[in-house]
PDB file of all heavy atoms in Angstrom:
ATOM      1  N   ARG A  22     -33.638  47.982 -48.576  1.00  0.00           N
ATOM      2  CA  ARG A  22     -34.281  48.608 -47.380  1.00  0.00           C
ATOM      3  C   ARG A  22     -35.863  48.583 -47.823  1.00  0.00           C
ATOM      4  O   ARG A  22     -36.608  48.170 -46.959  1.00  0.00           O
ATOM      5  CB  ARG A  22     -33.946  50.086 -47.285  1.00  0.00           C
ATOM      6  CG  ARG A  22     -34.604  50.741 -46.159  1.00  0.00           C
ATOM      7  CD  ARG A  22     -34.126  52.316 -46.150  1.00  0.00           C
ATOM      8  NE  ARG A  22     -32.708  52.539 -46.018  1.00  0.00           N
ATOM      9  CZ  ARG A  22     -32.028  52.522 -44.901  1.00  0.00           C
ATOM     10  NH1 ARG A  22     -32.746  52.450 -43.779  1.00  0.00           N
ATOM     11  NH2 ARG A  22     -30.690  52.709 -44.882  1.00  0.00           N
ATOM     12  N   GLY A  23     -36.247  48.681 -49.062  1.00  0.00           N
ATOM     13  CA  GLY A  23     -37.666  48.512 -49.349  1.00  0.00           C
ATOM     14  C   GLY A  23     -38.098  47.041 -49.376  1.00  0.00           C
ATOM     15  O   GLY A  23     -39.241  46.915 -49.275  1.00  0.00           O
ATOM     16  N   LEU A  24     -37.214  46.147 -49.385  1.00  0.00           N
ATOM     17  CA  LEU A  24     -37.609  44.784 -49.311  1.00  0.00           C
ATOM     18  C   LEU A  24     -38.298  44.487 -47.923  1.00  0.00           C
ATOM     19  O   LEU A  24     -39.095  43.456 -47.802  1.00  0.00           O
ATOM     20  CB  LEU A  24     -36.341  43.934 -49.427  1.00  0.00           C
ATOM     21  CG  LEU A  24     -36.612  42.336 -49.522  1.00  0.00           C
ATOM     22  CD1 LEU A  24     -37.408  42.034 -50.750  1.00  0.00           C
ATOM     23  CD2 LEU A  24     -35.194  41.679 -49.663  1.00  0.00           C
ATOM     24  N   ARG A  25     -38.087  45.253 -46.812  1.00  0.00           N
ATOM     25  CA  ARG A  25     -38.708  45.053 -45.666  1.00  0.00           C
ATOM     26  C   ARG A  25     -40.223  44.928 -45.697  1.00  0.00           C
ATOM     27  O   ARG A  25     -40.911  44.172 -45.162  1.00  0.00           O
ATOM     28  CB  ARG A  25     -38.213  46.066 -44.597  1.00  0.00           C
ATOM     29  CG  ARG A  25     -36.857  45.879 -44.143  1.00  0.00           C
ATOM     30  CD  ARG A  25     -36.315  47.020 -43.236  1.00  0.00           C
ATOM     31  NE  ARG A  25     -37.151  46.966 -41.984  1.00  0.00           N
ATOM     32  CZ  ARG A  25     -37.142  47.799 -40.993  1.00  0.00           C
ATOM     33  NH1 ARG A  25     -36.231  48.787 -41.099  1.00  0.00           N
ATOM     34  NH2 ARG A  25     -37.956  47.773 -39.891  1.00  0.00           N
ATOM     35  N   GLY A  26     -40.698  45.861 -46.477  1.00  0.00           N
ATOM     36  CA  GLY A  26     -42.198  46.081 -46.611  1.00  0.00           C
ATOM     37  C   GLY A  26     -42.829  44.647 -47.230  1.00  0.00           C
ATOM     38  O   GLY A  26     -43.846  44.261 -46.843  1.00  0.00           O
ATOM     39  N   THR A  27     -42.050  44.316 -48.193  1.00  0.00           N
ATOM     40  CA  THR A  27     -42.537  43.011 -49.057  1.00  0.00           C
ATOM     41  C   THR A  27     -42.558  41.874 -48.042  1.00  0.00           C
ATOM     42  O   THR A  27     -43.555  41.075 -48.099  1.00  0.00           O
ATOM     43  CB  THR A  27     -41.583  42.822 -50.231  1.00  0.00           C
ATOM     44  OG1 THR A  27     -41.649  43.962 -51.074  1.00  0.00           O
ATOM     45  CG2 THR A  27     -42.089  41.581 -50.975  1.00  0.00           C
ATOM     46  N   MET A  28     -41.556  41.748 -47.378  1.00  0.00           N
ATOM     47  CA  MET A  28     -41.460  40.685 -46.470  1.00  0.00           C
ATOM     48  C   MET A  28     -42.403  40.625 -45.318  1.00  0.00           C
ATOM     49  O   MET A  28     -42.946  39.732 -44.899  1.00  0.00           O
ATOM     50  CB  MET A  28     -40.006  40.388 -45.790  1.00  0.00           C
ATOM     51  CG  MET A  28     -38.902  40.148 -46.828  1.00  0.00           C
ATOM     52  SD  MET A  28     -39.220  38.375 -47.501  1.00  0.00           S
ATOM     53  CE  MET A  28     -39.716  38.782 -49.201  1.00  0.00           C
ATOM     54  N   ALA A  29     -42.781  41.890 -44.755  1.00  0.00           N
ATOM     55  CA  ALA A  29     -43.686  42.037 -43.824  1.00  0.00           C
ATOM     56  C   ALA A  29     -45.050  41.680 -44.276  1.00  0.00           C
ATOM     57  O   ALA A  29     -45.876  40.946 -43.713  1.00  0.00           O
ATOM     58  CB  ALA A  29     -43.806  43.492 -43.217  1.00  0.00           C
ATOM     59  N   ARG A  30     -45.377  42.107 -45.562  1.00  0.00           N
ATOM     60  CA  ARG A  30     -46.623  41.668 -46.167  1.00  0.00           C
ATOM     61  C   ARG A  30     -46.747  40.216 -46.371  1.00  0.00           C
ATOM     62  O   ARG A  30     -47.754  39.576 -46.204  1.00  0.00           O
ATOM     63  CB  ARG A  30     -46.801  42.439 -47.477  1.00  0.00           C
ATOM     64  CG  ARG A  30     -48.046  42.225 -48.209  1.00  0.00           C
ATOM     65  CD  ARG A  30     -49.219  42.881 -47.493  1.00  0.00           C
ATOM     66  NE  ARG A  30     -50.478  42.638 -48.270  1.00  0.00           N
ATOM     67  CZ  ARG A  30     -50.995  43.564 -49.208  1.00  0.00           C
ATOM     68  NH1 ARG A  30     -50.247  44.638 -49.431  1.00  0.00           N
ATOM     69  NH2 ARG A  30     -52.147  43.255 -49.703  1.00  0.00           N
ATOM     70  N   MET A  31     -45.564  39.640 -46.875  1.00  0.00           N
ATOM     71  CA  MET A  31     -45.561  38.136 -47.253  1.00  0.00           C
ATOM     72  C   MET A  31     -45.806  37.370 -45.985  1.00  0.00           C
ATOM     73  O   MET A  31     -46.504  36.334 -45.982  1.00  0.00           O
ATOM     74  CB  MET A  31     -44.171  37.659 -47.831  1.00  0.00           C
ATOM     75  CG  MET A  31     -44.204  36.379 -48.457  1.00  0.00           C
ATOM     76  SD  MET A  31     -45.478  36.196 -49.735  1.00  0.00           S
ATOM     77  CE  MET A  31     -45.763  34.415 -49.652  1.00  0.00           C
ATOM     78  N   ALA A  32     -45.265  37.814 -44.828  1.00  0.00           N
ATOM     79  CA  ALA A  32     -45.339  37.137 -43.500  1.00  0.00           C
ATOM     80  C   ALA A  32     -46.958  37.055 -43.172  1.00  0.00           C
ATOM     81  O   ALA A  32     -47.445  36.002 -42.695  1.00  0.00           O
ATOM     82  CB  ALA A  32     -44.656  37.680 -42.467  1.00  0.00           C
ATOM     83  N   GLN A  33     -47.553  38.099 -43.434  1.00  0.00           N
ATOM     84  CA  GLN A  33     -49.024  38.255 -43.074  1.00  0.00           C
ATOM     85  C   GLN A  33     -49.808  37.311 -44.045  1.00  0.00           C
ATOM     86  O   GLN A  33     -50.750  36.632 -43.644  1.00  0.00           O
ATOM     87  CB  GLN A  33     -49.463  39.742 -43.197  1.00  0.00           C
ATOM     88  CG  GLN A  33     -48.923  40.619 -42.164  1.00  0.00           C
ATOM     89  CD  GLN A  33     -49.105  42.019 -42.430  1.00  0.00           C
ATOM     90  OE1 GLN A  33     -49.370  42.476 -43.656  1.00  0.00           O
ATOM     91  NE2 GLN A  33     -48.899  42.974 -41.430  1.00  0.00           N
ATOM     92  N   VAL A  34     -49.407  37.312 -45.266  1.00  0.00           N
ATOM     93  CA  VAL A  34     -50.123  36.563 -46.293  1.00  0.00           C
ATOM     94  C   VAL A  34     -50.067  35.004 -45.946  1.00  0.00           C
ATOM     95  O   VAL A  34     -50.974  34.143 -46.096  1.00  0.00           O
ATOM     96  CB  VAL A  34     -49.732  36.902 -47.733  1.00  0.00           C
ATOM     97  CG1 VAL A  34     -50.296  35.786 -48.683  1.00  0.00           C
ATOM     98  CG2 VAL A  34     -50.237  38.160 -47.946  1.00  0.00           C
ATOM     99  N   LEU A  35     -48.799  34.608 -45.637  1.00  0.00           N
ATOM    100  CA  LEU A  35     -48.491  33.215 -45.184  1.00  0.00           C
ATOM    101  C   LEU A  35     -49.331  32.801 -44.085  1.00  0.00           C
ATOM    102  O   LEU A  35     -49.818  31.646 -43.921  1.00  0.00           O
ATOM    103  CB  LEU A  35     -47.059  32.968 -44.870  1.00  0.00           C
ATOM    104  CG  LEU A  35     -46.089  32.865 -46.126  1.00  0.00           C
ATOM    105  CD1 LEU A  35     -44.661  33.031 -45.756  1.00  0.00           C
ATOM    106  CD2 LEU A  35     -46.440  31.563 -46.877  1.00  0.00           C
ATOM    107  N   GLN A  36     -49.617  33.785 -43.168  1.00  0.00           N
ATOM    108  CA  GLN A  36     -50.519  33.421 -41.918  1.00  0.00           C
ATOM    109  C   GLN A  36     -51.913  33.196 -42.481  1.00  0.00           C
ATOM    110  O   GLN A  36     -52.609  32.290 -41.915  1.00  0.00           O
ATOM    111  CB  GLN A  36     -50.319  34.481 -41.030  1.00  0.00           C
ATOM    112  CG  GLN A  36     -49.084  34.548 -40.234  1.00  0.00           C
ATOM    113  CD  GLN A  36     -48.988  35.593 -39.159  1.00  0.00           C
ATOM    114  OE1 GLN A  36     -49.419  36.796 -39.527  1.00  0.00           O
ATOM    115  NE2 GLN A  36     -48.504  35.340 -37.966  1.00  0.00           N
ATOM    116  N   ASP A  37     -52.381  34.031 -43.422  1.00  0.00           N
ATOM    117  CA  ASP A  37     -53.737  33.853 -44.020  1.00  0.00           C
ATOM    118  C   ASP A  37     -53.827  32.410 -44.600  1.00  0.00           C
ATOM    119  O   ASP A  37     -54.846  31.776 -44.485  1.00  0.00           O
ATOM    120  CB  ASP A  37     -53.948  34.943 -44.959  1.00  0.00           C
ATOM    121  CG  ASP A  37     -54.079  36.326 -44.429  1.00  0.00           C
ATOM    122  OD1 ASP A  37     -54.279  36.415 -43.174  1.00  0.00           O
ATOM    123  OD2 ASP A  37     -53.911  37.270 -45.148  1.00  0.00           O
ATOM    124  N   ILE A  38     -52.817  32.095 -45.477  1.00  0.00           N
ATOM    125  CA  ILE A  38     -52.922  30.740 -46.115  1.00  0.00           C
ATOM    126  C   ILE A  38     -52.920  29.700 -45.100  1.00  0.00           C
ATOM    127  O   ILE A  38     -53.546  28.720 -45.316  1.00  0.00           O
ATOM    128  CB  ILE A  38     -51.747  30.630 -47.108  1.00  0.00           C
ATOM    129  CG1 ILE A  38     -51.707  31.748 -48.272  1.00  0.00           C
ATOM    130  CG2 ILE A  38     -51.676  29.329 -47.755  1.00  0.00           C
ATOM    131  CD1 ILE A  38     -50.659  31.860 -49.197  1.00  0.00           C
ATOM    132  N   THR A  39     -52.121  29.838 -44.073  1.00  0.00           N
ATOM    133  CA  THR A  39     -51.935  28.753 -43.097  1.00  0.00           C
ATOM    134  C   THR A  39     -53.220  28.560 -42.342  1.00  0.00           C
ATOM    135  O   THR A  39     -53.741  27.379 -42.117  1.00  0.00           O
ATOM    136  CB  THR A  39     -50.875  29.087 -42.163  1.00  0.00           C
ATOM    137  OG1 THR A  39     -49.595  29.170 -42.789  1.00  0.00           O
ATOM    138  CG2 THR A  39     -50.695  27.984 -41.073  1.00  0.00           C
ATOM    139  N   ARG A  40     -53.959  29.774 -41.921  1.00  0.00           N
ATOM    140  CA  ARG A  40     -55.233  29.621 -41.306  1.00  0.00           C
ATOM    141  C   ARG A  40     -56.173  28.816 -42.165  1.00  0.00           C
ATOM    142  O   ARG A  40     -57.047  27.975 -41.707  1.00  0.00           O
ATOM    143  CB  ARG A  40     -55.695  30.999 -41.025  1.00  0.00           C
ATOM    144  CG  ARG A  40     -55.170  31.593 -39.649  1.00  0.00           C
ATOM    145  CD  ARG A  40     -55.900  32.801 -39.276  1.00  0.00           C
ATOM    146  NE  ARG A  40     -55.830  33.929 -40.243  1.00  0.00           N
ATOM    147  CZ  ARG A  40     -54.843  34.878 -40.061  1.00  0.00           C
ATOM    148  NH1 ARG A  40     -53.947  34.770 -39.174  1.00  0.00           N
ATOM    149  NH2 ARG A  40     -54.807  35.859 -40.978  1.00  0.00           N
ATOM    150  N   HIS A  41     -56.267  29.171 -43.471  1.00  0.00           N
ATOM    151  CA  HIS A  41     -57.235  28.465 -44.374  1.00  0.00           C
ATOM    152  C   HIS A  41     -56.776  26.952 -44.375  1.00  0.00           C
ATOM    153  O   HIS A  41     -57.807  26.055 -44.276  1.00  0.00           O
ATOM    154  CB  HIS A  41     -57.239  29.067 -45.772  1.00  0.00           C
ATOM    155  CG  HIS A  41     -57.900  28.160 -46.808  1.00  0.00           C
ATOM    156  ND1 HIS A  41     -57.370  27.703 -47.874  1.00  0.00           N
ATOM    157  CD2 HIS A  41     -59.260  27.947 -46.866  1.00  0.00           C
ATOM    158  CE1 HIS A  41     -58.246  27.100 -48.609  1.00  0.00           C
ATOM    159  NE2 HIS A  41     -59.443  27.282 -47.966  1.00  0.00           N
ATOM    160  N   GLN A  42     -55.520  26.680 -44.425  1.00  0.00           N
ATOM    161  CA  GLN A  42     -55.254  25.195 -44.609  1.00  0.00           C
ATOM    162  C   GLN A  42     -55.474  24.484 -43.271  1.00  0.00           C
ATOM    163  O   GLN A  42     -55.650  23.245 -43.336  1.00  0.00           O
ATOM    164  CB  GLN A  42     -53.719  25.095 -45.019  1.00  0.00           C
ATOM    165  CG  GLN A  42     -53.408  25.423 -46.523  1.00  0.00           C
ATOM    166  CD  GLN A  42     -54.211  24.548 -47.432  1.00  0.00           C
ATOM    167  OE1 GLN A  42     -54.266  23.389 -47.218  1.00  0.00           O
ATOM    168  NE2 GLN A  42     -54.743  25.109 -48.480  1.00  0.00           N
ATOM    169  N   ARG A  43     -55.419  25.038 -42.157  1.00  0.00           N
ATOM    170  CA  ARG A  43     -55.694  24.542 -40.847  1.00  0.00           C
ATOM    171  C   ARG A  43     -57.170  23.944 -40.888  1.00  0.00           C
ATOM    172  O   ARG A  43     -57.480  23.048 -40.181  1.00  0.00           O
ATOM    173  CB  ARG A  43     -55.376  25.287 -39.795  1.00  0.00           C
ATOM    174  CG  ARG A  43     -54.050  25.644 -39.432  1.00  0.00           C
ATOM    175  CD  ARG A  43     -53.857  26.159 -37.942  1.00  0.00           C
ATOM    176  NE  ARG A  43     -52.469  26.502 -37.622  1.00  0.00           N
ATOM    177  CZ  ARG A  43     -52.027  27.820 -37.589  1.00  0.00           C
ATOM    178  NH1 ARG A  43     -52.919  28.831 -37.625  1.00  0.00           N
ATOM    179  NH2 ARG A  43     -50.797  27.996 -37.347  1.00  0.00           N
ATOM    180  N   ASP A  44     -58.120  24.739 -41.597  1.00  0.00           N
ATOM    181  CA  ASP A  44     -59.473  24.364 -41.633  1.00  0.00           C
ATOM    182  C   ASP A  44     -59.657  23.013 -42.570  1.00  0.00           C
ATOM    183  O   ASP A  44     -60.701  22.293 -42.392  1.00  0.00           O
ATOM    184  CB  ASP A  44     -60.277  25.439 -42.270  1.00  0.00           C
ATOM    185  CG  ASP A  44     -60.355  26.537 -41.196  1.00  0.00           C
ATOM    186  OD1 ASP A  44     -60.178  26.318 -40.020  1.00  0.00           O
ATOM    187  OD2 ASP A  44     -60.595  27.685 -41.789  1.00  0.00           O
ATOM    188  N   LEU A  45     -58.584  22.707 -43.433  1.00  0.00           N
ATOM    189  CA  LEU A  45     -58.744  21.664 -44.478  1.00  0.00           C
ATOM    190  C   LEU A  45     -57.850  20.396 -44.031  1.00  0.00           C
ATOM    191  O   LEU A  45     -57.982  19.459 -44.694  1.00  0.00           O
ATOM    192  CB  LEU A  45     -58.374  22.131 -45.730  1.00  0.00           C
ATOM    193  CG  LEU A  45     -59.158  23.449 -46.174  1.00  0.00           C
ATOM    194  CD1 LEU A  45     -58.546  23.785 -47.636  1.00  0.00           C
ATOM    195  CD2 LEU A  45     -60.632  23.069 -46.455  1.00  0.00           C
ATOM    196  N   ASN A  46     -56.973  20.526 -43.132  1.00  0.00           N
ATOM    197  CA  ASN A  46     -56.017  19.463 -42.870  1.00  0.00           C
ATOM    198  C   ASN A  46     -55.795  19.283 -41.343  1.00  0.00           C
ATOM    199  O   ASN A  46     -56.138  20.070 -40.573  1.00  0.00           O
ATOM    200  CB  ASN A  46     -54.611  19.982 -43.376  1.00  0.00           C
ATOM    201  CG  ASN A  46     -54.509  19.990 -44.942  1.00  0.00           C
ATOM    202  OD1 ASN A  46     -54.351  18.922 -45.681  1.00  0.00           O
ATOM    203  ND2 ASN A  46     -54.620  21.254 -45.416  1.00  0.00           N
ATOM    204  N   PRO A  47     -55.474  17.985 -40.933  1.00  0.00           N
ATOM    205  CA  PRO A  47     -55.276  17.610 -39.537  1.00  0.00           C
ATOM    206  C   PRO A  47     -53.959  18.356 -39.055  1.00  0.00           C
ATOM    207  O   PRO A  47     -53.123  18.667 -39.820  1.00  0.00           O
ATOM    208  CB  PRO A  47     -55.135  16.137 -39.637  1.00  0.00           C
ATOM    209  CG  PRO A  47     -54.587  15.771 -40.933  1.00  0.00           C
ATOM    210  CD  PRO A  47     -55.329  16.893 -41.914  1.00  0.00           C
ATOM    211  N   PRO A  48     -53.880  18.589 -37.815  1.00  0.00           N
ATOM    212  CA  PRO A  48     -52.718  19.012 -37.175  1.00  0.00           C
ATOM    213  C   PRO A  48     -51.357  18.184 -37.589  1.00  0.00           C
ATOM    214  O   PRO A  48     -51.485  16.933 -37.640  1.00  0.00           O
ATOM    215  CB  PRO A  48     -52.854  19.016 -35.607  1.00  0.00           C
ATOM    216  CG  PRO A  48     -54.424  18.951 -35.577  1.00  0.00           C
ATOM    217  CD  PRO A  48     -54.935  18.213 -36.748  1.00  0.00           C
ATOM    218  N   GLY A  49     -50.393  18.815 -37.946  1.00  0.00           N
ATOM    219  CA  GLY A  49     -49.074  18.114 -38.356  1.00  0.00           C
ATOM    220  C   GLY A  49     -49.076  17.766 -39.858  1.00  0.00           C
ATOM    221  O   GLY A  49     -48.161  17.001 -40.189  1.00  0.00           O
ATOM    222  N   ALA A  50     -50.015  18.157 -40.516  1.00  0.00           N
ATOM    223  CA  ALA A  50     -50.060  17.841 -42.026  1.00  0.00           C
ATOM    224  C   ALA A  50     -48.836  18.506 -42.636  1.00  0.00           C
ATOM    225  O   ALA A  50     -48.325  19.547 -42.315  1.00  0.00           O
ATOM    226  CB  ALA A  50     -51.351  18.283 -42.729  1.00  0.00           C
ATOM    227  N   GLU A  51     -48.332  17.803 -43.781  1.00  0.00           N
ATOM    228  CA  GLU A  51     -47.108  18.326 -44.416  1.00  0.00           C
ATOM    229  C   GLU A  51     -47.245  19.728 -44.910  1.00  0.00           C
ATOM    230  O   GLU A  51     -46.368  20.432 -44.859  1.00  0.00           O
ATOM    231  CB  GLU A  51     -46.717  17.378 -45.418  1.00  0.00           C
ATOM    232  CG  GLU A  51     -45.513  17.712 -46.319  1.00  0.00           C
ATOM    233  CD  GLU A  51     -44.255  17.578 -45.546  1.00  0.00           C
ATOM    234  OE1 GLU A  51     -44.277  17.034 -44.393  1.00  0.00           O
ATOM    235  OE2 GLU A  51     -43.067  18.023 -46.036  1.00  0.00           O
ATOM    236  N   ILE A  52     -48.375  19.987 -45.454  1.00  0.00           N
ATOM    237  CA  ILE A  52     -48.634  21.391 -46.033  1.00  0.00           C
ATOM    238  C   ILE A  52     -48.370  22.383 -44.862  1.00  0.00           C
ATOM    239  O   ILE A  52     -47.882  23.549 -45.114  1.00  0.00           O
ATOM    240  CB  ILE A  52     -49.999  21.500 -46.837  1.00  0.00           C
ATOM    241  CG1 ILE A  52     -50.060  22.918 -47.450  1.00  0.00           C
ATOM    242  CG2 ILE A  52     -51.158  21.283 -45.694  1.00  0.00           C
ATOM    243  CD1 ILE A  52     -49.109  23.046 -48.437  1.00  0.00           C
TER     244      ILE A  52
END
C-alpha cells in the first residue's frame, strides 16, 4: 500500500528526466 506513493513520485521524476532529455535529443531518440 505504501508503494503507491513511491511509484507516484517516480512517475513524476521520470517526466522531469524526459523533459530534460528532449532538450538534448531529437524526437524518437532511443533514450
Side-chain angles (χ1 to χ4, degrees):
R22 188 184 299 272
L24 185 62
R25 288 179 61 186
T27 302
M28 290 299 105
R30 183 70 177 269
M31 190 64 208
Q33 293 168 343
V34 170
L35 281 168
Q36 287 180 318
D37 293 341
I38 296 173
T39 301
R40 277 194 293 269
H41 173 238
Q42 287 299 319
R43 284 200 189 109
D44 293 336
L45 304 175
N46 293 277
E51 179 68 8
I52 185 66

